[in-house]
């Protein structure tokens, strides 16, 4: 989870009256889940960000929360792109490996298929 999303979550939960310990535990839990690409964590974060944007409209923090949400979206795209670049680098490394015989080539082909499936 990026820093913009963390700030949005903290702001929103504090506005809802949650205590500091709960807020930090939820941020840590969401961050861990998102780091493991867990769909429920990703969905929860998206919902919290959207709720925070809606709630901020009636506050003096509206511009800041809107900008944080935009930054979160931009950082999410960058992080996804970085991940894809890492996968493509691994693909390139495997393609550059010398011929490894029938069994070695089959193993490399399987690894390439696995890597390419992660790009979707």
């Amino acid at each position: 989870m990026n820093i913009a999303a963390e700030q949005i979550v903290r702001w929103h939960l504090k506005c809802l009256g949650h205590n500091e310990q709960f807020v930090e535990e939820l941020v840590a839990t969401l961050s861990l889940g998102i780091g493991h690409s867990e769909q429920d964590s990703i969905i929860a974060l998206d919902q919290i960000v959207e709720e925070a944007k809606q709630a901020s409209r009636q506050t003096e923090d509206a511009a800041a929360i809107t900008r944080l949400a935009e930054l979160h979206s931009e950082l999410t795209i960058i992080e996804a792109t970085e991940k894809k670049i890492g996968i493509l680098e691994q693909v390139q490394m495997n393609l550059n490996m010398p011929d490894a015989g029938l069994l070695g080539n089959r193993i490399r082909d399987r690894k390439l298929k696995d890597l390419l499936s992660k790009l979707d």
Side-chain angles (χ1 to χ4, degrees):
M1 181 163 58
N2 60 55
I3 191 72
E6 287 180 15
Q7 294 305 315
I8 293 169
V9 171
R10 285 186 178 102
W11 178 87
H12 187 56
L13 294 177
K14 286 178 183 175
C15 285
L16 293 174
H18 295 288
N19 66 47
E20 186 76 25
Q21 181 180 355
F22 174 80
V23 171
E24 292 308 315
E25 287 175 2
L26 184 59
V27 166
T29 301
L30 282 173
S31 185
L32 185 64
I34 290 167
H36 288 100
S37 299
E38 296 174 358
Q39 283 302 106
D40 59 338
S41 295
I42 295 168
I43 291 168
L45 177 62
D46 289 344
Q47 289 174 340
I48 292 170
V49 168
E50 191 56 40
E51 288 174 14
K53 284 174 27 182
Q54 297 295 327
S56 74
R57 288 187 178 152
Q58 310 304 330
T59 71
E60 61 189 33
D61 296 328
I65 296 301
T66 299
R67 182 62 190 125
L68 281 170
E70 292 167 356
L71 183 58
H72 162 63
S73 295
E74 292 168 6
L75 289 172
T76 300
I77 292 168
I78 290 169
E79 290 164 356
T81 303
E82 286 176 339
K83 185 176 180 180
K84 287 181 180 181
I85 289 170
I87 292 169
L88 290 172
E89 287 172 343
Q90 291 178 40
V91 167
Q92 183 65 43
M93 184 179 71
N94 278 278
L95 289 173
N96 290 339
M97 294 176 92
D99 185 37
L102 185 60
L103 183 58
N105 288 342
R106 289 170 104 189
I107 293 169
R108 183 181 61 206
D109 289 348
R110 183 67 204 150
K111 184 167 184 159
L112 285 168
K113 286 179 185 178
D114 289 342
L115 288 168
L116 292 173
S117 72
K118 293 178 183 179
L119 290 175
D120 295 332

